[in-house]
Amino acid sequence: MSPNLLAILPLLLTLVLALWLRRTLVALGVGILSGALIIAHFDIGQSLGYLLEIGAKQFYSQGAWQWWHLNVLMAMLLLGSMTQLLARSGAVEQFGDWLYRRIRTGRQARIGVVLLGWLVFIDGIFSCLAVGHVCQPLSQRYGIRQTQLAYLVDSNASPLCSLLPFSSWGPYVMALLAGLSFLPVSALEAFIDVALFNFYAITTLGLSLIVAWFGMGFRPIENAVLVADPVEPSLTPSQGNPWLLAIPMLTLLCASVGLTLWSGAQQVPSWDVSAWLAKADIGAAMRDACLLSTLVTLVLLMLSGRSIGKLLGDLAHGVRMIAFAIAILLCTWMIGAVIQDLGVASLLAAWAKLYLSPSLLVAGMFLLCAIMAFTTGSSWGTFAIMIPIGGEIAHNMDVSLLLPVLSAVMAGSVFGDHCSPISDTSVLSATSSGCLPHDHVVTQLPFALIGAGAALVGFQLVNLSVATLFVWFGVIGTALGLLALMTRFYPPWLSARSQTN
């Protein structure tokens, strides 16, 4: 077998098994094991040693603790515990009772999910966990299917974060951009310019609003309570209390932003917010914000009368509930290390440099990064490989296409990650929303392909030097046209349309 084909075999096995068995953890495990065997030349002893090595490196490597990984895991544990505290103590139910008196239709409930996703913008993983867990009980009340909730959660997590320099994505991407010595503007200016042409992320956010407004593509839950009684509000069983949920969420939001800026300000003597963001310790800020909000939740619930024994039980249940997502995340990191050692991403990048035509450079870079992110399940990993390589290719071929190519790298990476069955955000969106990862990926894929088709048209028009206004007309027109065709001819959407409120 060709060495190149052998190198991509673990990825193929992982993807096929994830889609066939619908067991993401098993698929990741097989991919990791097969990759280890290939790297160790099928020596069992060396393969086991390699697995132990890459497993340990996720926590301790080159004489230093891997605080990003540790902080993310601690934040996940704390978020899982906090959301179970809110759900099991009745805080979410009380928020639902309060919301019940104000939301009159399933449309308003779906829009609420989108807006909550925009409110919790600090990190993609955090958004998937927090919004999914918090909105799952509310979605049941207002007839939102679990797959639709997962779509709304996922589509307003990573795509939104990729556009905001003050999210956790901003400093990471700006650090990669700053490494390009030929970049014509500052890293922050480049990030903003790249975000403005991230056609996939912007289209995805727009599509999620359309889906939330019209409810298309998903059948509502039968026999769900979709309309509150506007005439006799006093007959509702409870007035509800929004603060048991709102105060922890606002604490989480404010602490995330505040601690992120504070951590950066400690490293920078000037009053430069962009410099603060570039130097901020996002992982520690996430961890500390989650810890603070969990403590606030515990205090509020104790004051509301919940016993310490029940609170401890809630915390333990939260850890158990989040354990599967943590296992998936750990395996995702490990298979990322295997992929890196196999040189798959570099192989794909080398093929691009050899075979991409200058007239198809931007659109081709979008497709390449989409394939890489889909097969690796990691947008950040694709950024790390392709921002330097894509920038170098564009600089050598046509310097005027440098920023559009970087936009294509960002957009393609987000698209591939968004529809990959082994992506951490795909899995976390599904598990936090109460559905299987396979079901989430399958129902989200048509919307992702619409966004990708519109983005592909936009990037090709940019490559042809079409005016920006007409480029956006092409993107929006393509997206709406594909959406109309899918609504009219795609069988699953046809069956859902007649039942949508």
Side-chain angles (χ1 to χ4, degrees):
M1 182 180 290
S2 166
N4 290 342
L5 294 178
L6 192 62
I8 66 173
L9 182 60
L11 290 178
L12 296 177
L13 283 174
T14 302
L15 292 171
V16 169
L17 290 176
L19 294 171
W20 179 36
L21 298 179
R22 304 186 185 183
R23 294 178 180 271
T24 306
L25 195 58
V26 173
L28 286 169
V30 171
I32 293 168
L33 290 174
S34 60
L37 286 170
I38 292 171
I39 289 170
H41 304 289
F42 299 96
D43 184 292
I44 301 298
Q46 290 186 20
S47 298
L48 292 175
Y50 173 75
L51 290 173
L52 291 174
E53 180 185 353
I54 62 170
K57 281 183 176 179
Q58 306 311 312
F59 305 101
Y60 190 83
S61 178
Q62 297 180 347
W65 291 101
Q66 301 302 295
W67 282 110
W68 171 251
H69 284 185
L70 293 170
N71 286 330
V72 167
L73 293 177
M74 285 187 279
M76 289 179 65
L77 285 170
L78 289 166
L79 277 174
S81 298
M82 187 185 82
T83 51
Q84 287 304 310
L85 281 170
L86 295 170
R88 290 163 62 90
S89 66
V92 174
E93 185 180 37
Q94 290 199 48
F95 186 85
D97 290 335
W98 176 81
L99 205 60
Y100 183 85
R101 299 171 62 83
R102 289 155 178 81
I103 285 184
R104 296 292 182 262
T105 65
R107 171 180 292 168
Q108 293 176 356
R110 294 189 296 267
I111 292 292
V113 175
V114 172
L115 294 180
L116 184 58
W118 292 3
L119 181 68
V120 187
F121 59 81
I122 197 68
D123 182 74
I125 291 176
F126 162 67
S127 179
C128 293
L129 282 169
V131 179
H133 279 300
V134 168
C135 291
Q136 188 180 157
L138 302 178
S139 70
Q140 295 169 358
R141 184 168 217 168
Y142 297 111
I144 303 174
R145 284 204 172 270
Q146 293 166 328
T147 49
Q148 187 176 30
L149 175 61
Y151 165 73
L152 294 175
V153 169
D154 203 359
S155 296
N156 291 280
S158 295
L160 180 64
C161 290
S162 70
L163 300 174
L164 301 177
F166 44 84
S167 73
S168 64
W169 292 47
Y172 175 77
V173 174
M174 283 190 281
L176 295 173
L177 293 173
L180 301 177
S181 59
F182 44 80
L183 198 67
V185 293
S186 70
L188 178 60
E189 291 175 301
F191 184 97
I192 294 172
D193 289 340
V194 165
L196 290 174
F197 284 89
N198 190 335
F199 300 123
Y200 178 77
I202 295 172
T203 303
T204 297
L205 293 174
L207 285 173
S208 72
L209 273 176
I210 293 173
V211 170
W213 185 263
F214 294 104
M216 60 177 57
F218 301 89
R219 290 175 297 166
I221 299 175
E222 295 179 4
N223 302 321
V225 179
L226 293 177
V227 182
D229 186 355
V231 181
E232 298 287 346
S234 60
L235 296 179
T236 55
S238 170
Q239 296 291 319
N241 178 8
W243 300 114
L244 285 177
L245 179 64
I247 290 177
M249 292 299 294
L250 289 173
T251 301
L252 188 58
L253 175 64
C254 295
S256 297
V257 175
L259 291 172
T260 297
L261 293 175
W262 175 258
S263 66
Q266 300 305 300
Q267 308 297 322
V268 179
S270 63
W271 289 82
D272 185 344
V273 175
S274 62
W276 293 356
L277 288 170
K279 294 292 185 179
D281 188 344
I282 299 294
M286 285 174 55
R287 178 201 64 205
D288 295 341
C290 292
L291 177 60
L292 179 60
S293 58
T294 301
L295 292 175
V296 168
T297 304
L298 286 169
V299 171
L300 287 174
L301 294 179
M302 288 177 65
L303 292 176
S304 70
R306 194 161 180 82
S307 68
I308 294 178
K310 288 184 177 180
L311 290 175
L312 291 175
D314 297 339
L315 290 171
H317 186 72
V319 172
R320 289 195 299 271
M321 292 294 291
I322 205 66
F324 174 74
I326 287 178
I328 292 287
L329 188 59
L330 288 171
C331 286
T332 301
W333 287 338
M334 289 183 68
I335 200 170
V338 171
I339 289 166
Q340 183 177 4
D341 291 341
L342 287 170
V344 175
S346 299
L347 176 64
L348 293 175
W351 287 348
K353 195 168 184 178
L354 285 173
Y355 302 117
L356 272 181
S357 167
S359 62
L360 300 173
L361 176 61
V362 183
M365 194 63 66
F366 171 78
L367 291 175
L368 173 62
C369 292
I371 293 171
M372 290 177 63
F374 180 81
T375 54
T376 61
S378 172
S379 53
W380 280 34
T382 307
F383 295 159
I385 297 272
M386 291 307 301
I387 284 179
I389 294 176
E392 188 70 40
I393 293 173
H395 181 67
N396 291 333
M397 284 188 173
D398 186 348
V399 70
S400 67
L401 293 178
L402 174 60
L403 292 178
V405 163
L406 295 174
S407 294
V409 170
M410 291 285 291
S413 302
V414 173
F415 164 55
D417 176 84
H418 195 208
C419 56
S420 174
I422 60 174
S423 164
D424 50 5
T425 51
S426 295
V427 173
L428 293 176
S429 297
T431 54
S432 67
S433 301
C435 71
L436 295 173
H438 173 271
D439 294 339
H440 167 49
V441 170
V442 169
T443 53
Q444 178 169 264
L445 188 59
F447 296 103
L449 291 174
I450 290 173
L456 194 61
V457 169
F459 286 126
Q460 186 56 41
L461 291 175
V462 169
N463 210 148
L464 297 174
S465 302
V466 175
T468 301
L469 179 63
F470 294 107
V471 169
W472 275 109
F473 279 149
V475 171
I476 296 171
T478 301
L480 293 178
L482 291 174
L483 187 63
L485 289 173
M486 293 287 286
T487 304
R488 186 172 180 83
F489 297 110
Y490 186 50
W493 288 14
L494 287 174
S495 63
R497 184 172 58 178
S498 61
Q499 303 178 48
T500 303
N501 60 297

